[in-house]
């Protein structure tokens, strides 16, 4: 489902600042299980040779065990892209216990998925639909109404400079141009290193502190070009 970034920009600012979803690891792998020991019958050896063979056997077993763990985790990584993780299910179950009906947790459930995966893909939406027993169309309607549910991949840090009238009167357009020039991206685009995505918002509810911007769930106020450049540098350093 392809949508312009404008369709993703309608969540109340309070929802962003107050978001308190515990992050699940991205597609966590299993911890693995021990491989079955191999019984090997060997002739009687002297004590020195016996100790040497024992060490070699233990090393082989450990290498086999490690290989199995890596293989198990890699397999799980591939599977988890097409299934909900245990962490995601646990958080969804908590939400469902508190809601009178599954549809009532739609926005929070979408947050859970996005916190774990970075965005809500069509596959993720389908998995969530099956788990909540809420139609895909209903979930998609919620996802495309609220502005901080991303239906396409975004960078590690999403920059939301305000493009409302109050901010523009106080230099908001200059702030957005500064960001675009510094990061070499246009609104709706993501940097080549996947570090930043630029998505302006129509109003952040802080007109008396214009121009403002949200980055990493924090509101930055009374910005100018110099402050904006310094903020970007700080975010780059903090994201390393």
């Amino acid at each position: 489902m392809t949508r312009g970034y404008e369709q993703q920009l309608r969540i109340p600012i309070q929802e962003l600042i107050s978001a308190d979803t515990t992050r699940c690891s991205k597609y966590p792998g299993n911890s693995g299980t021990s491989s079955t020991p191999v019984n090997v019958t060997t002739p009687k050896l002297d004590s020195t040779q016996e100790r040497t063979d024992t060490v070699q056997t233990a090393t082989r077993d450990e290498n086999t065990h490690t290989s199995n763990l890596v293989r198990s985790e890699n397999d799980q990584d591939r599977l988890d892209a097409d299934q909900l993780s245990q962490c995601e299910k646990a958080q969804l179950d908590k939400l469902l216990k508190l809601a009178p009906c599954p549809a009532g947790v739609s926005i929070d459930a979408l947050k859970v998925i996005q916190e774990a995966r970075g965005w809500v893909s069509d596959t993720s939406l389908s998995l969530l639909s099956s788990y909540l027993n809420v139609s895909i169309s209903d979930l998609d309607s919620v996802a495309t109404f609220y502005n901080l549910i991303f239906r396409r991949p975004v960078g590690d840090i999403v920059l939301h400079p305000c493009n409302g009238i109050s901010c523009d009167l106080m230099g908001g357009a200059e702030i957005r141009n500064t960001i675009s020039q510094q990061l070499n991206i246009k609104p709706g685009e993501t940097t080549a290193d996947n570090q930043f995505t630029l998505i302006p918002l129509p109003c952040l509810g802080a007109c008396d502190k214009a121009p403002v911007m949200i980055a990493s769930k924090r509101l930055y106020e009374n910005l100018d070009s110099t402050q904006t450049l310094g903020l970007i540098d700080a975010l780059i350093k903090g994201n390393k």
Side-chain angles (χ1 to χ4, degrees), residues 155-226:
D156 296 333
I157 299 172
V158 183
L159 302 176
H160 296 294
C162 179
N163 62 359
I165 294 177
S166 295
C167 281
D168 276 6
L169 288 173
M170 298 301 292
E174 183 180 354
I175 299 303
R176 297 192 298 277
N177 288 337
T178 297
I179 295 171
S180 291
Q181 292 174 8
Q182 179 69 9
L183 299 177
N184 195 30
I185 55 175
K186 298 177 182 178
E189 294 182 345
T190 299
T191 55
D193 60 3
N194 202 42
Q195 194 166 21
F196 289 97
T197 296
L198 175 59
I199 302 180
L201 293 179
C203 184
L204 302 184
C207 299
D208 59 323
K209 302 175 181 65
V212 297
M213 177 173 70
I214 291 174
S216 297
K217 297 187 178 181
R218 178 177 173 182
L219 180 66
Y220 294 89
E221 307 165 348
N222 301 308
L223 292 171
D224 58 32
S225 294
T226 301

Side-chain angles (χ1 to χ4, degrees), residues 11 15 95 103-112 139 142-143 146 149:
I11 194 169
E15 294 246 5
L95 293 174
V105 304
S106 295
I107 180 62
D108 289 314
L110 288 164
K111 285 182 183 180
V112 168
L139 286 175
V142 174
Y146 286 98
I149 299 299

Side-chain angles (χ1 to χ4, degrees), residues 17 27 46 51 83 88 98 100 107 116 118 121 154 173 186 200-201 210 219-220 227 230:
I17 300 300
Y27 309 141
D46 61 61
R51 284 195 300 271
Q83 65 184 26
E88 289 170 320
L98 300 174
I107 180 62
S121 65
V154 294
K186 298 177 182 178
L201 293 179
L219 180 66
Y220 294 89
Q227 290 173 324

Side-chain angles (χ1 to χ4, degrees), residues 38-101:
V38 178
N39 296 320
V40 180
T41 302
T42 57
K44 182 67 175 178
L45 304 172
D46 61 61
S47 58
T48 301
Q49 184 63 43
E50 189 172 21
R51 284 195 300 271
T52 300
D53 284 358
T54 299
V55 171
Q56 291 175 343
T57 301
T59 301
R60 284 197 302 272
D61 288 346
E62 180 63 25
N63 290 339
T64 300
H65 174 63
T66 301
S67 176
N68 287 341
L69 288 182
V70 171
R71 188 162 53 250
S72 174
E73 291 177 357
N74 290 340
D75 290 344
Q76 189 66 27
D77 285 343
R78 287 192 292 271
L79 288 173
D80 282 343
D82 298 318
Q83 65 184 26
L84 296 176
S85 70
Q86 292 303 314
C87 180
E88 289 170 320
K89 290 179 181 178
Q91 291 190 57
L92 293 174
D93 289 342
K94 288 181 181 178
L95 293 174
L96 289 170
K97 288 180 181 179
L98 300 174
C101 64

